[in-house]
Amino acid sequence: EEHGVDSIFQRLVDTLPLFTRLTELNLACNKLQDWDVDQLAKVLPQCVVLKSLDLTRNTFGEKGVSALVAALDCCSTFRSLTIKDVSLREEALQGFAQSPILGQLSDLHLEDNGIGYLGTQYLAESILFSPDLSNLKHIILRSNLICNRGLILLSESLVKCPELLKLDLEDNCLGEDGVRVLARSLAGCTKLTELYLGYNQLSYTGVHHLVMDCLSVLVNLRELTLNSNEIGNEGATFLAESLTHHPNTRLSFLDLRHNIITNTGAHMLAVALQRFSEMRHLWLIGNRIGEGNAHLFSAPNREVQIRDEMGVT
């Protein structure tokens, strides 16, 4: 169909204002293009109690995002925006810049888009431009090619997000320098409960930055994923020492899969966990740890994974 809209979608757009109590709208996987989203944006302000919009796996770009952001600025009840796996180009995020839209949101899902450095810059500008971000609780940006420079920009803006609960930056090639800046910024996000940093080319140096600059003050952190990095025994030791020296830590889920940790690092973690009862889930699959060491981690109500279902460590 021309513009990617079929008659069913057009009728939906035409009738949306009639659904006066509509709070959630899911339009995922509909091949919506810029023109389609523009038509949708024209009626969204009439959905006066709309709280959530999901546009996952569509095909719109910069014009669609700009129209959408402008429309949602007028929706005072709106809280959750999901634009996942749309393959947005960097310039598509320009619609967020100089817009107070993030001040309304509690949840922002932009994962799997590849927004890159420039897109991250636009997002950071939006965060800095928003006068009040007390509502923003969840930022999901995994798989976006943010890289080192983009993370530095984003990190500098996170100081305006004191209520942040969840930050997902997995699979972004962040590197050590970016994580150093991130760790310093997160020290101000003391309510953070979930932090995802897997697949980011981190060595023990990155873990050192996290431990020294923020983990000691993130007393509400419950979940930390560092899977598929290269933290090694040194990184595992830093984490073990952090658990030992900061007994107020509430970390209950730690994902260290595929991190070239050997029995030496596993032993350090095991010793620390003997005095740390909060840990409920520890994932170590894909390291070089002998199965015979599993008993070192045993504790009531604790799940430890050293081998996968195929028996591979």
Side-chain angles (χ1 to χ4, degrees):
E1 295 281 345
E2 186 179 3
H3 304 306
V5 177
D6 60 22
S7 58
I8 296 177
F9 177 74
Q10 187 61 61
R11 288 200 296 271
L12 172 63
V13 170
D14 292 341
T15 56
L16 270 180
L18 301 178
F19 296 95
T20 57
R21 306 305 299 171
L22 182 68
T23 59
E24 298 181 11
L25 180 57
N26 189 330
L27 294 173
C29 305
N30 274 291
K31 300 181 181 179
L32 303 183
Q33 300 177 17
D34 283 330
W35 188 90
D36 311 329
V37 176
D38 182 67
Q39 297 304 302
L40 174 65
K42 290 176 181 178
V43 300
L44 282 179
Q46 299 176 58
C47 301
V48 294
V49 293
L50 186 66
K51 294 182 179 180
S52 174
L53 176 61
D54 188 343
L55 292 169
T56 295
R57 293 183 181 173
N58 285 289
T59 57
F60 57 92
E62 179 182 357
K63 293 181 180 179
V65 172
S66 296
L68 190 64
V69 168
L72 292 176
D73 277 344
C74 303
C75 301
S76 60
T77 63
F78 193 74
R79 294 293 179 267
S80 178
L81 178 61
T82 300
I83 307 178
K84 176 183 176 181
D85 196 12
V86 179
S87 298
L88 294 178
R89 295 182 181 273
E90 294 180 337
E91 60 270 17
L93 270 290
Q94 191 169 1
F96 281 92
Q98 302 301 308
S99 168
I101 179 65
L102 292 185
Q104 298 175 215
L105 298 182
S106 61
D107 296 7
L108 177 63
H109 294 256
L110 292 175
E111 61 264 47
D112 302 307
N113 279 302
I115 64 174
Y117 167 74
L118 185 58
T120 307
Q121 178 181 344
Y122 289 138
L123 184 61
E125 288 176 3
S126 180
I127 293 175
L128 293 172
F129 181 75
S130 300
D132 180 13
L133 288 171
S134 58
N135 289 321
L136 193 57
K137 303 293 194 299
H138 306 104
I139 301 177
I140 316 300
L141 294 172
R142 67 169 58 195
S143 302
N144 266 300
L145 303 176
I146 291 175
C147 299
N148 195 324
R149 290 196 305 156
L151 180 61
I152 291 173
L153 287 176
L154 180 65
S155 298
E156 291 171 349
S157 68
L158 288 178
V159 295
K160 292 197 63 178
C161 305
E163 302 298 315
L164 193 64
L165 299 178
K166 178 177 179 178
L167 180 62
D168 187 342
L169 293 170
E170 282 202 353
D171 188 23
N172 274 297
C173 302
L174 300 180
E176 312 292 0
D177 291 338
V179 169
R180 182 183 69 250
V181 178
L182 175 67
R184 293 173 181 172
S185 297
L186 288 180
C189 300
T190 56
K191 295 184 179 181
L192 193 70
T193 60
E194 301 175 46
L195 178 60
Y196 299 89
L197 294 173
Y199 295 94
N200 272 308
Q201 303 175 351
L202 301 183
S203 69
Y204 71 91
T205 304
V207 175
H208 179 72
H209 293 318
L210 289 172
V211 169
M212 297 301 295
D213 294 329
C214 74
L215 290 186
S216 60
V217 297
L218 296 182
V219 295
N220 292 302
L221 190 67
R222 298 296 185 87
E223 298 188 19
L224 175 62
T225 69
L226 293 167
N227 56 297
S228 303
N229 286 296
E230 298 179 351
I231 71 170
N233 290 332
E234 294 91 342
T237 300
F238 282 136
L239 288 170
E241 291 175 348
S242 177
L243 295 175
T244 301
H245 296 148
H246 303 103
N248 293 328
T249 301
R250 304 173 70 183
L251 195 65
S252 61
F253 178 91
L254 180 59
D255 185 351
L256 297 177
R257 291 172 296 164
H258 303 285
N259 263 296
I260 56 174
I261 298 170
T262 70
N263 291 333
T264 301
H267 178 74
M268 297 298 295
L269 286 168
V271 171
L273 291 180
Q274 289 175 1
R275 299 188 293 273
F276 187 75
S277 61
E278 292 284 340
M279 188 68 67
R280 292 289 178 264
H281 306 277
L282 175 62
W283 291 2
L284 292 166
I285 294 170
N287 288 291
R288 303 166 186 170
I289 302 170
E291 187 180 13
N293 288 309
H295 71 281
L296 297 174
F297 299 94
S298 62
N301 302 315
R302 177 179 294 162
E303 174 201 22
V304 179
Q305 294 186 10
I306 292 180
R307 299 170 69 90
D308 62 19
E309 294 179 355
M310 300 299 294
V312 179
T313 58

